[in-house]
Amino acid sequence: MSSTPTSPTKLKTAARVRQEFLDFFAARGHRIVPSGPVFPQDDPTLLFTNAGMNQFKDVFLGTGTRDYTRAADTQKCIRVSGKHNDLEEVGVDTYHHTFFEMLGNWSFGDYFKAEAIAWSWELLTKTWGLDPDRLWVTVFAGDAADGLPADDESARIWVEVAGVRPDRVLKFGRKANFWEMGDTGPCGPCTEIHIDRGAPGSDPRDGANPAIGVNAGNERFMELWNNVFIQFNRLEDGRLQELPAKHVDTGMGFERVLSVLQGQRSNYDTDLFTPIFARIAAVTGARYEGGDAPRDVAFRVAADHCRAVTAAFADGALPSNEGRGYVLRRLIRRASRFGRQHLGARDPFLFEVVPAVVQVLGATFPEMRAREEHVRLLMKSEEESFGRTLDRGLVFFESLAAKTEKAGSKTLAGAEAFELYATNGFPEDLVELMARERGLAVDRAGWEAAQKRHQAASKSEGKFKQVLSAEALASVKPTRSTYHEAGAEAQVLEARVLVVQAVGEGEHAVVLDASPFYAEGGGQVGDAGVIRAADGSFTFEVRDARRTGAVVVHLGTFQGGRVPAPEALSGARVRAEVDAARRERVRKHHTATHLLHRALKEVLGAHVAQQGSYVGPDRLRFDISHPRAVTPEELERVEALVNARVCQNDLVRTTIEDLEQAKARGVVAMFGEKYDAQVRVLDVGGWSLELCGGTHVRAAGEIGPFVILSERAVQAGVRRLEAVTGPAAVEEIQRQRRILRDAAQALKSAVDELPARVELLQAQLKEAKKQGAKQQGGDVAAAFERSKALLERTGGAAFGVFDLPELGLEGVRELAERLKGAESAIAFAVLGREEGRVPFVIVCQNVPKSSGLKAGDLAKLASASLGGGGGGRPDAAQGQGQREAGVPAALSALRAAIAEGLARA
């Protein structure tokens, strides 16, 4: 295949290439599985899904199973920080991405190296027709520290089975050819296939020794496909442990292989990106030319980051100031900043690019299509917020630069300059550019030290660590679970202890061969209860139950802190008993959550989708996608609908069904959840149908009264409702009744007459404020005349500092406006009083630049004595002091600063 682009009529589209990959492995006995969410729901060690194998991690560890041994898919992935950090390269080069698709095939204890290698070569060279003379393969050279020999078996298979020339099989060490998920976890030797794309415009087979380019980090030799042979588990002490079964995990970056098959040197020149670029051009008026110019980099950054954020938001992630939400916020800000700087996009524009992303990826990942409006709303809100943050960042930079210059330095403190990046999204090159414009430099060492601290605090990939250690789990079989069985007897179970391990100060994790405890999942908290030794030798108090793969882990403490000897625990017969009363409260809340979801869809619209939930014994919390506040009238309708179903005492039934058939008949599935082929369907009277594996009441009437406690915004496009049921709902109704009774007594009114009584009081208060304003108006007029008479003049401007306790916040503001009109060049500060606080306004209007006076700086000076906050522009600032006792010091400091500044002019 030529290194130059082929004719468009001969190009394979992205959709066709993706389908050919899946069809190839389906024909070889692989189950084609849907992509998992782009962020793991049950793995706290990963902020984002960064490899195709993430959803099969439990299988590799031996704690989970599937009903198939071969699988293939295209997995949505995001890599932004940690071990697999591609963020800084994204947009600068033409082949790195934060969001990408990983084509992969897996064997779970089935085939191994021979089949994996042969099929890889067949797909690339036969199905897709790549020239074998352009391909190179690498294998593991061994590692003395780990005591691992070279992978001569793979090298032999490449030559003898695939027919690769021996001189094209290269050996590399652990860094290049031993794949590890993280610091701990599944790992093994890998063999990679690289393609020589040749120098631009040249024959790909030129050069004396192309082999030296493989793994050299250049654009000519590019890795296409990695076949990992998972046969070890890296333990926390660094040792390698053989896994119970050997697996194959392969990954091929879809964007890279597509660029090769479409004859492009840039991934961004394929039909995965061209429609997105066209949309960016239409929105901004800029033009993409495919080069290294800042404008072209901005196109690539915007397209890539918009893909990543769209995928994450569609799966249910939300922007925030921590964890994955913070990473997504940074991506939006980075793309927005590139758009502002280089595409002329002064207003939000990324949200208008979302439809193009959905057009390209929506058929493969239908959740993007279903949640397009929700994604647009979140994106626009974040862009608008960043616009305000950018303005605040500019103020912060001005303050930092002024402070540096005042200290007689020419170098911005690195740690403080880095805050512009960490808090406001200003990249290093922008900070340096702004500094140069002021004749300043940035302290590089300080910046880098702050950056390292920041990266350590927000590292996305922790250790591949379970609730229990890998050693403890290696010999544990899946737990026989009875939590879902009907009847009280299922909540008490005879079992045998398999593992006990300390997991914290005074806390242990216990694994049984069978368990009646529900393990936390789907928003529902884990069960609590006790595990008692059959011989009475110990009692273990369970505070929570978690799931690791198919293993239920019970967390808690031994009663009295007495931990039995290991020999007394191993294999001990026990009686496991769930706290039935607590579970009953949880069950009521969980079934009520399903009814609430259905009622919200009926009242607000079918667009409502669950964004998250908490189902506990104390209350339920339910987050939904909805663009505005839910009105009180709508909340009443929702509450009434739920209580109506409770009163009808609808039966609650569960069935096991085929996933696709369940979806086809309207059963609701949660965005971002990963389901097995066979799923559990919860049906409440035929009115509410959802996929759910939690615990529920037998009939809706068992829920009892349902009361909504609150409704509020979590962020743009997401609302949060909290509610209680049963006895807790009765308590809430009685609490509200007491409040009404107390209010009626305080106002000497009947409860039914409270609204009218409150309305009358509000009218009286309004009239009183009106009269007060008239009085203060007179005070302002008098204060203006006094202040104007006290103005002093020096350095070509009038100035004064005034303490007027009779004026409140509005009075201080009005007086400031009047004083600004008294003189063309004037600097003054006005302090008032209001409810124990000290409102103040500072103005520096048309004062000589040589005075160095800035109202914002003076406001901070006042706040140092008054407490509270204060700031603003160079010409006007305001604040609210919290310490009235600090007024004399503030007045003295302000007067000295203004007088000295004007004296210098």
Side-chain angles (χ1 to χ4, degrees), residues 60-100:
F60 296 138
L61 281 172
T63 62
T65 60
R66 301 292 188 274
D67 63 351
Y68 48 85
T69 59
R70 300 181 179 189
D73 79 348
T74 179
Q75 170 66 50
K76 297 173 293 184
C77 297
I78 291 180
R79 291 182 183 174
V80 285
S81 59
K83 180 180 174 68
H84 302 288
N85 187 341
D86 295 336
L87 179 58
E88 300 309 319
E89 288 78 27
V90 172
V92 178
D93 62 30
T94 60
Y95 56 91
H96 274 101
H97 307 280
T98 58
F99 172 84
F100 60 96

mmCIF file of all heavy atoms in Angstrom, residues 60-100:
data_model
loop_
_atom_site.group_PDB
_atom_site.id
_atom_site.type_symbol
_atom_site.label_atom_id
_atom_site.label_comp_id
_atom_site.label_asym_id
_atom_site.label_seq_id
_atom_site.Cartn_x
_atom_site.Cartn_y
_atom_site.Cartn_z
ATOM 1 N N PHE A 60 -9.477 -11.677 34.555
ATOM 2 C CA PHE A 60 -8.033 -11.875 34.598
ATOM 3 C C PHE A 60 -7.541 -12.161 36.010
ATOM 4 O O PHE A 60 -6.581 -12.908 36.211
ATOM 5 C CB PHE A 60 -7.310 -10.649 34.025
ATOM 6 C CG PHE A 60 -7.594 -10.401 32.570
ATOM 7 C CD1 PHE A 60 -7.818 -9.121 32.097
ATOM 8 C CD2 PHE A 60 -7.650 -11.449 31.678
ATOM 9 C CE1 PHE A 60 -8.087 -8.896 30.761
ATOM 10 C CE2 PHE A 60 -7.922 -11.232 30.332
ATOM 11 C CZ PHE A 60 -8.137 -9.955 29.874
ATOM 12 N N LEU A 61 -8.207 -11.555 37.009
ATOM 13 C CA LEU A 61 -7.816 -11.793 38.397
ATOM 14 C C LEU A 61 -8.386 -13.099 38.944
ATOM 15 O O LEU A 61 -8.025 -13.522 40.039
ATOM 16 C CB LEU A 61 -8.282 -10.625 39.284
ATOM 17 C CG LEU A 61 -7.422 -9.365 39.236
ATOM 18 C CD1 LEU A 61 -8.092 -8.244 39.992
ATOM 19 C CD2 LEU A 61 -6.040 -9.636 39.800
ATOM 20 N N GLY A 62 -9.306 -13.692 38.190
ATOM 21 C CA GLY A 62 -9.901 -14.940 38.655
ATOM 22 C C GLY A 62 -11.041 -14.753 39.624
ATOM 23 O O GLY A 62 -11.505 -15.711 40.247
ATOM 24 N N THR A 63 -11.540 -13.513 39.779
ATOM 25 C CA THR A 63 -12.651 -13.268 40.705
ATOM 26 C C THR A 63 -13.982 -13.161 39.997
ATOM 27 O O THR A 63 -15.014 -12.961 40.640
ATOM 28 C CB THR A 63 -12.406 -11.966 41.485
ATOM 29 O OG1 THR A 63 -12.347 -10.872 40.563
ATOM 30 C CG2 THR A 63 -11.111 -12.039 42.282
ATOM 31 N N GLY A 64 -13.985 -13.255 38.672
ATOM 32 C CA GLY A 64 -15.225 -13.172 37.910
ATOM 33 C C GLY A 64 -15.203 -14.116 36.738
ATOM 34 O O GLY A 64 -14.146 -14.632 36.346
ATOM 35 N N THR A 65 -16.362 -14.362 36.165
ATOM 36 C CA THR A 65 -16.476 -15.267 35.020
ATOM 37 C C THR A 65 -17.395 -14.646 33.967
ATOM 38 O O THR A 65 -18.119 -13.692 34.243
ATOM 39 C CB THR A 65 -17.058 -16.626 35.445
ATOM 40 O OG1 THR A 65 -18.361 -16.428 36.011
ATOM 41 C CG2 THR A 65 -16.164 -17.311 36.470
ATOM 42 N N ARG A 66 -17.359 -15.198 32.770
ATOM 43 C CA ARG A 66 -18.305 -14.864 31.707
ATOM 44 C C ARG A 66 -18.844 -16.172 31.137
ATOM 45 O O ARG A 66 -18.234 -17.240 31.344
ATOM 46 C CB ARG A 66 -17.626 -14.051 30.591
ATOM 47 C CG ARG A 66 -17.006 -12.736 31.029
ATOM 48 C CD ARG A 66 -18.060 -11.709 31.443
ATOM 49 N NE ARG A 66 -17.437 -10.403 31.685
ATOM 50 C CZ ARG A 66 -16.892 -10.034 32.832
ATOM 51 N NH1 ARG A 66 -16.876 -10.883 33.866
ATOM 52 N NH2 ARG A 66 -16.365 -8.836 32.972
ATOM 53 N N ASP A 67 -19.937 -16.077 30.408
ATOM 54 C CA ASP A 67 -20.472 -17.292 29.795
ATOM 55 C C ASP A 67 -19.886 -17.504 28.401
ATOM 56 O O ASP A 67 -20.463 -18.180 27.565
ATOM 57 C CB ASP A 67 -22.001 -17.249 29.741
ATOM 58 C CG ASP A 67 -22.532 -16.112 28.870
ATOM 59 O OD1 ASP A 67 -21.731 -15.258 28.441
ATOM 60 O OD2 ASP A 67 -23.755 -16.087 28.615
ATOM 61 N N TYR A 68 -18.723 -16.893 28.146
ATOM 62 C CA TYR A 68 -17.998 -17.093 26.897
ATOM 63 C C TYR A 68 -16.513 -17.035 27.210
ATOM 64 O O TYR A 68 -16.101 -16.474 28.228
ATOM 65 C CB TYR A 68 -18.376 -16.026 25.864
ATOM 66 C CG TYR A 68 -18.352 -14.599 26.398
ATOM 67 C CD1 TYR A 68 -17.172 -13.853 26.433
ATOM 68 C CD2 TYR A 68 -19.514 -13.996 26.878
ATOM 69 C CE1 TYR A 68 -17.150 -12.561 26.933
ATOM 70 C CE2 TYR A 68 -19.504 -12.703 27.363
ATOM 71 C CZ TYR A 68 -18.328 -11.987 27.398
ATOM 72 O OH TYR A 68 -18.304 -10.699 27.891
ATOM 73 N N THR A 69 -15.696 -17.613 26.348
ATOM 74 C CA THR A 69 -14.242 -17.608 26.559
ATOM 75 C C THR A 69 -13.507 -16.801 25.494
ATOM 76 O O THR A 69 -12.297 -16.635 25.581
ATOM 77 C CB THR A 69 -13.695 -19.039 26.552
ATOM 78 O OG1 THR A 69 -14.006 -19.652 25.290
ATOM 79 C CG2 THR A 69 -14.291 -19.852 27.695
ATOM 80 N N ARG A 70 -14.251 -16.303 24.488
ATOM 81 C CA ARG A 70 -13.659 -15.454 23.461
ATOM 82 C C ARG A 70 -14.547 -14.233 23.281
ATOM 83 O O ARG A 70 -15.772 -14.361 23.215
ATOM 84 C CB ARG A 70 -13.548 -16.196 22.126
ATOM 85 C CG ARG A 70 -12.692 -17.454 22.173
ATOM 86 C CD ARG A 70 -12.617 -18.122 20.810
ATOM 87 N NE ARG A 70 -11.775 -19.306 20.843
ATOM 88 C CZ ARG A 70 -11.374 -19.996 19.769
ATOM 89 N NH1 ARG A 70 -11.778 -19.599 18.550
ATOM 90 N NH2 ARG A 70 -10.587 -21.045 19.889
ATOM 91 N N ALA A 71 -13.940 -13.062 23.180
ATOM 92 C CA ALA A 71 -14.710 -11.827 23.036
ATOM 93 C C ALA A 71 -13.965 -10.848 22.145
ATOM 94 O O ALA A 71 -12.741 -10.907 22.012
ATOM 95 C CB ALA A 71 -14.970 -11.190 24.400
ATOM 96 N N ALA A 72 -14.719 -9.934 21.543
ATOM 97 C CA ALA A 72 -14.135 -8.846 20.749
ATOM 98 C C ALA A 72 -15.064 -7.645 20.856
ATOM 99 O O ALA A 72 -16.272 -7.793 21.047
ATOM 100 C CB ALA A 72 -13.958 -9.264 19.286
ATOM 101 N N ASP A 73 -14.482 -6.453 20.753
ATOM 102 C CA ASP A 73 -15.307 -5.249 20.798
ATOM 103 C C ASP A 73 -14.507 -4.052 20.351
ATOM 104 O O ASP A 73 -13.319 -4.149 20.030
ATOM 105 C CB ASP A 73 -15.867 -5.019 22.212
ATOM 106 C CG ASP A 73 -14.834 -4.407 23.172
ATOM 107 O OD1 ASP A 73 -13.637 -4.370 22.833
ATOM 108 O OD2 ASP A 73 -15.233 -3.978 24.275
ATOM 109 N N THR A 74 -15.173 -2.904 20.297
ATOM 110 C CA THR A 74 -14.496 -1.619 20.198
ATOM 111 C C THR A 74 -14.837 -0.866 21.465
ATOM 112 O O THR A 74 -15.999 -0.619 21.763
ATOM 113 C CB THR A 74 -14.900 -0.825 18.941
ATOM 114 O OG1 THR A 74 -14.206 0.433 18.948
ATOM 115 C CG2 THR A 74 -16.396 -0.604 18.848
ATOM 116 N N GLN A 75 -13.820 -0.542 22.254
ATOM 117 C CA GLN A 75 -14.013 0.037 23.581
ATOM 118 C C GLN A 75 -13.700 1.526 23.577
ATOM 119 O O GLN A 75 -12.659 1.947 23.082
ATOM 120 C CB GLN A 75 -13.122 -0.676 24.597
ATOM 121 C CG GLN A 75 -13.053 -0.017 25.959
ATOM 122 C CD GLN A 75 -14.380 -0.054 26.689
ATOM 123 O OE1 GLN A 75 -14.997 -1.109 26.797
ATOM 124 N NE2 GLN A 75 -14.825 1.083 27.188
ATOM 125 N N LYS A 76 -14.604 2.318 24.140
ATOM 126 C CA LYS A 76 -14.342 3.747 24.333
ATOM 127 C C LYS A 76 -13.288 3.905 25.422
ATOM 128 O O LYS A 76 -13.429 3.345 26.503
ATOM 129 C CB LYS A 76 -15.620 4.466 24.759
ATOM 130 C CG LYS A 76 -16.729 4.445 23.739
ATOM 131 C CD LYS A 76 -18.011 5.039 24.311
ATOM 132 C CE LYS A 76 -18.579 4.176 25.421
ATOM 133 N NZ LYS A 76 -19.881 4.698 25.912
ATOM 134 N N CYS A 77 -12.253 4.676 25.133
ATOM 135 C CA CYS A 77 -11.167 4.881 26.108
ATOM 136 C C CYS A 77 -10.821 6.358 26.225
ATOM 137 O O CYS A 77 -10.955 7.119 25.264
ATOM 138 C CB CYS A 77 -9.909 4.123 25.690
ATOM 139 S SG CYS A 77 -10.078 2.335 25.624
ATOM 140 N N ILE A 78 -10.357 6.740 27.416
ATOM 141 C CA ILE A 78 -9.824 8.084 27.632
ATOM 142 C C ILE A 78 -8.514 7.951 28.387
ATOM 143 O O ILE A 78 -8.442 7.252 29.398
ATOM 144 C CB ILE A 78 -10.799 8.967 28.440
ATOM 145 C CG1 ILE A 78 -12.041 9.298 27.597
ATOM 146 C CG2 ILE A 78 -10.115 10.262 28.879
ATOM 147 C CD1 ILE A 78 -13.061 10.162 28.320
ATOM 148 N N ARG A 79 -7.477 8.600 27.883
ATOM 149 C CA ARG A 79 -6.196 8.661 28.570
ATOM 150 C C ARG A 79 -5.792 10.115 28.700
ATOM 151 O O ARG A 79 -5.627 10.811 27.713
ATOM 152 C CB ARG A 79 -5.111 7.884 27.809
ATOM 153 C CG ARG A 79 -5.316 6.372 27.819
ATOM 154 C CD ARG A 79 -4.189 5.664 27.099
ATOM 155 N NE ARG A 79 -4.418 4.215 27.048
ATOM 156 C CZ ARG A 79 -3.655 3.362 26.373
ATOM 157 N NH1 ARG A 79 -2.608 3.811 25.692
ATOM 158 N NH2 ARG A 79 -3.925 2.071 26.372
ATOM 159 N N VAL A 80 -5.642 10.561 29.936
ATOM 160 C CA VAL A 80 -5.292 11.961 30.156
ATOM 161 C C VAL A 80 -4.175 12.167 31.164
ATOM 162 O O VAL A 80 -3.526 13.211 31.173
ATOM 163 C CB VAL A 80 -6.518 12.777 30.618
ATOM 164 C CG1 VAL A 80 -7.460 13.046 29.472
ATOM 165 C CG2 VAL A 80 -7.238 12.070 31.745
ATOM 166 N N SER A 81 -3.948 11.210 32.069
ATOM 167 C CA SER A 81 -2.897 11.393 33.064
ATOM 168 C C SER A 81 -2.557 10.058 33.669
ATOM 169 O O SER A 81 -3.222 9.060 33.433
ATOM 170 C CB SER A 81 -3.348 12.371 34.153
ATOM 171 O OG SER A 81 -4.513 11.906 34.788
ATOM 172 N N GLY A 82 -1.506 10.036 34.493
ATOM 173 C CA GLY A 82 -1.077 8.788 35.109
ATOM 174 C C GLY A 82 -0.104 8.054 34.210
ATOM 175 O O GLY A 82 0.638 8.636 33.432
ATOM 176 N N LYS A 83 -0.133 6.722 34.307
ATOM 177 C CA LYS A 83 0.831 5.889 33.578
ATOM 178 C C LYS A 83 0.697 6.083 32.064
ATOM 179 O O LYS A 83 1.674 6.128 31.335
ATOM 180 C CB LYS A 83 0.607 4.418 33.945
ATOM 181 C CG LYS A 83 1.549 3.440 33.253
ATOM 182 C CD LYS A 83 1.235 2.013 33.678
ATOM 183 C CE LYS A 83 2.043 0.983 32.909
ATOM 184 N NZ LYS A 83 3.454 1.028 33.225
ATOM 185 N N HIS A 84 -0.556 6.177 31.576
ATOM 186 C CA HIS A 84 -0.791 6.332 30.138
ATOM 187 C C HIS A 84 -1.195 7.786 29.885
ATOM 188 O O HIS A 84 -2.374 8.101 29.735
ATOM 189 C CB HIS A 84 -1.900 5.388 29.679
ATOM 190 C CG HIS A 84 -1.603 3.946 29.963
ATOM 191 N ND1 HIS A 84 -0.649 3.247 29.265
ATOM 192 C CD2 HIS A 84 -2.111 3.088 30.872
ATOM 193 C CE1 HIS A 84 -0.599 2.002 29.717
ATOM 194 N NE2 HIS A 84 -1.471 1.889 30.699
ATOM 195 N N ASN A 85 -0.238 8.694 29.845
ATOM 196 C CA ASN A 85 -0.529 10.114 29.771
ATOM 197 C C ASN A 85 -0.273 10.633 28.373
ATOM 198 O O ASN A 85 0.867 10.756 27.944
ATOM 199 C CB ASN A 85 0.333 10.873 30.783
ATOM 200 C CG ASN A 85 -0.056 12.332 30.870
ATOM 201 O OD1 ASN A 85 -0.688 12.873 29.975
ATOM 202 N ND2 ASN A 85 0.317 12.969 31.965
ATOM 203 N N ASP A 86 -1.327 10.953 27.658
ATOM 204 C CA ASP A 86 -1.190 11.452 26.302
ATOM 205 C C ASP A 86 -1.610 12.913 26.166
ATOM 206 O O ASP A 86 -1.556 13.469 25.080
ATOM 207 C CB ASP A 86 -2.037 10.621 25.326
ATOM 208 C CG ASP A 86 -1.558 9.186 25.206
ATOM 209 O OD1 ASP A 86 -0.383 8.925 25.487
ATOM 210 O OD2 ASP A 86 -2.370 8.346 24.833
ATOM 211 N N LEU A 87 -2.045 13.556 27.228
ATOM 212 C CA LEU A 87 -2.703 14.854 27.122
ATOM 213 C C LEU A 87 -1.831 15.926 26.484
ATOM 214 O O LEU A 87 -2.279 16.637 25.590
ATOM 215 C CB LEU A 87 -3.173 15.321 28.506
ATOM 216 C CG LEU A 87 -3.867 16.685 28.536
ATOM 217 C CD1 LEU A 87 -5.074 16.701 27.623
ATOM 218 C CD2 LEU A 87 -4.258 17.051 29.949
ATOM 219 N N GLU A 88 -0.591 16.052 26.936
ATOM 220 C CA GLU A 88 0.226 17.159 26.446
ATOM 221 C C GLU A 88 0.561 17.036 24.964
ATOM 222 O O GLU A 88 0.875 18.027 24.314
ATOM 223 C CB GLU A 88 1.506 17.274 27.279
ATOM 224 C CG GLU A 88 1.258 17.540 28.761
ATOM 225 C CD GLU A 88 0.323 18.712 29.009
ATOM 226 O OE1 GLU A 88 0.466 19.728 28.303
ATOM 227 O OE2 GLU A 88 -0.542 18.606 29.884
ATOM 228 N N GLU A 89 0.524 15.802 24.425
ATOM 229 C CA GLU A 89 0.826 15.626 23.005
ATOM 230 C C GLU A 89 -0.393 15.855 22.118
ATOM 231 O O GLU A 89 -0.279 16.023 20.910
ATOM 232 C CB GLU A 89 1.362 14.213 22.736
ATOM 233 C CG GLU A 89 2.766 13.959 23.250
ATOM 234 C CD GLU A 89 2.791 13.706 24.746
ATOM 235 O OE1 GLU A 89 1.781 13.231 25.279
ATOM 236 O OE2 GLU A 89 3.813 14.008 25.388
ATOM 237 N N VAL A 90 -1.576 15.818 22.716
ATOM 238 C CA VAL A 90 -2.805 15.886 21.918
ATOM 239 C C VAL A 90 -2.912 17.236 21.219
ATOM 240 O O VAL A 90 -2.829 18.288 21.849
ATOM 241 C CB VAL A 90 -4.038 15.657 22.810
ATOM 242 C CG1 VAL A 90 -5.318 15.919 22.022
ATOM 243 C CG2 VAL A 90 -4.034 14.237 23.332
ATOM 244 N N GLY A 91 -3.083 17.165 19.915
ATOM 245 C CA GLY A 91 -3.212 18.370 19.111
ATOM 246 C C GLY A 91 -1.898 18.849 18.546
ATOM 247 O O GLY A 91 -1.862 19.396 17.445
ATOM 248 N N VAL A 92 -0.808 18.644 19.303
ATOM 249 C CA VAL A 92 0.506 19.083 18.829
ATOM 250 C C VAL A 92 0.990 18.161 17.719
ATOM 251 O O VAL A 92 1.468 18.615 16.678
ATOM 252 C CB VAL A 92 1.522 19.118 19.989
ATOM 253 C CG1 VAL A 92 2.902 19.527 19.478
ATOM 254 C CG2 VAL A 92 1.036 20.087 21.065
ATOM 255 N N ASP A 93 0.862 16.840 17.962
ATOM 256 C CA ASP A 93 1.180 15.903 16.888
ATOM 257 C C ASP A 93 -0.124 15.450 16.240
ATOM 258 O O ASP A 93 -1.206 15.949 16.558
ATOM 259 C CB ASP A 93 2.015 14.725 17.392
ATOM 260 C CG ASP A 93 1.291 13.890 18.437
ATOM 261 O OD1 ASP A 93 0.050 13.808 18.392
ATOM 262 O OD2 ASP A 93 1.964 13.292 19.295
ATOM 263 N N THR A 94 -0.031 14.490 15.343
ATOM 264 C CA THR A 94 -1.218 14.093 14.574
ATOM 265 C C THR A 94 -1.691 12.683 14.889
ATOM 266 O O THR A 94 -2.503 12.134 14.149
ATOM 267 C CB THR A 94 -0.912 14.174 13.066
ATOM 268 O OG1 THR A 94 0.177 13.288 12.762
ATOM 269 C CG2 THR A 94 -0.542 15.592 12.664
ATOM 270 N N TYR A 95 -1.194 12.098 16.002
ATOM 271 C CA TYR A 95 -1.606 10.725 16.275
ATOM 272 C C TYR A 95 -1.903 10.439 17.751
ATOM 273 O O TYR A 95 -2.211 9.308 18.100
ATOM 274 C CB TYR A 95 -0.548 9.735 15.759
ATOM 275 C CG TYR A 95 0.853 9.936 16.291
ATOM 276 C CD1 TYR A 95 1.279 9.289 17.439
ATOM 277 C CD2 TYR A 95 1.751 10.774 15.629
ATOM 278 C CE1 TYR A 95 2.572 9.473 17.926
ATOM 279 C CE2 TYR A 95 3.037 10.968 16.108
ATOM 280 C CZ TYR A 95 3.444 10.309 17.257
ATOM 281 O OH TYR A 95 4.714 10.485 17.742
ATOM 282 N N HIS A 96 -1.805 11.427 18.623
ATOM 283 C CA HIS A 96 -2.208 11.222 20.007
ATOM 284 C C HIS A 96 -3.635 11.731 20.218
ATOM 285 O O HIS A 96 -4.050 12.711 19.601
ATOM 286 C CB HIS A 96 -1.271 11.944 20.980
ATOM 287 C CG HIS A 96 -0.064 11.140 21.344
ATOM 288 N ND1 HIS A 96 1.168 11.347 20.775
ATOM 289 C CD2 HIS A 96 0.100 10.113 22.210
ATOM 290 C CE1 HIS A 96 2.053 10.486 21.278
ATOM 291 N NE2 HIS A 96 1.416 9.730 22.151
ATOM 292 N N HIS A 97 -4.356 11.079 21.123
ATOM 293 C CA HIS A 97 -5.730 11.469 21.432
ATOM 294 C C HIS A 97 -5.994 11.270 22.919
ATOM 295 O O HIS A 97 -5.374 10.420 23.562
ATOM 296 C CB HIS A 97 -6.735 10.608 20.650
ATOM 297 C CG HIS A 97 -6.494 10.578 19.179
ATOM 298 N ND1 HIS A 97 -6.886 11.599 18.339
ATOM 299 C CD2 HIS A 97 -5.886 9.654 18.384
ATOM 300 C CE1 HIS A 97 -6.526 11.304 17.095
ATOM 301 N NE2 HIS A 97 -5.916 10.134 17.101
ATOM 302 N N THR A 98 -6.924 12.035 23.465
ATOM 303 C CA THR A 98 -7.414 11.715 24.810
ATOM 304 C C THR A 98 -8.505 10.664 24.705
ATOM 305 O O THR A 98 -8.530 9.701 25.454
ATOM 306 C CB THR A 98 -7.954 12.969 25.529
ATOM 307 O OG1 THR A 98 -8.997 13.552 24.747
ATOM 308 C CG2 THR A 98 -6.869 13.971 25.767
ATOM 309 N N PHE A 99 -9.429 10.849 23.754
ATOM 310 C CA PHE A 99 -10.456 9.825 23.507
ATOM 311 C C PHE A 99 -10.083 9.031 22.270
ATOM 312 O O PHE A 99 -9.692 9.595 21.257
ATOM 313 C CB PHE A 99 -11.824 10.476 23.285
ATOM 314 C CG PHE A 99 -12.878 9.489 22.844
ATOM 315 C CD1 PHE A 99 -13.562 8.732 23.778
ATOM 316 C CD2 PHE A 99 -13.171 9.298 21.497
ATOM 317 C CE1 PHE A 99 -14.527 7.801 23.391
ATOM 318 C CE2 PHE A 99 -14.125 8.376 21.099
ATOM 319 C CZ PHE A 99 -14.803 7.625 22.046
ATOM 320 N N PHE A 100 -10.203 7.718 22.387
ATOM 321 C CA PHE A 100 -9.946 6.868 21.224
ATOM 322 C C PHE A 100 -10.725 5.566 21.386
ATOM 323 O O PHE A 100 -11.188 5.226 22.471
ATOM 324 C CB PHE A 100 -8.450 6.570 21.066
ATOM 325 C CG PHE A 100 -7.843 5.848 22.247
ATOM 326 C CD1 PHE A 100 -7.701 4.459 22.243
ATOM 327 C CD2 PHE A 100 -7.427 6.550 23.368
ATOM 328 C CE1 PHE A 100 -7.147 3.799 23.329
ATOM 329 C CE2 PHE A 100 -6.879 5.894 24.462
ATOM 330 C CZ PHE A 100 -6.738 4.520 24.445
#
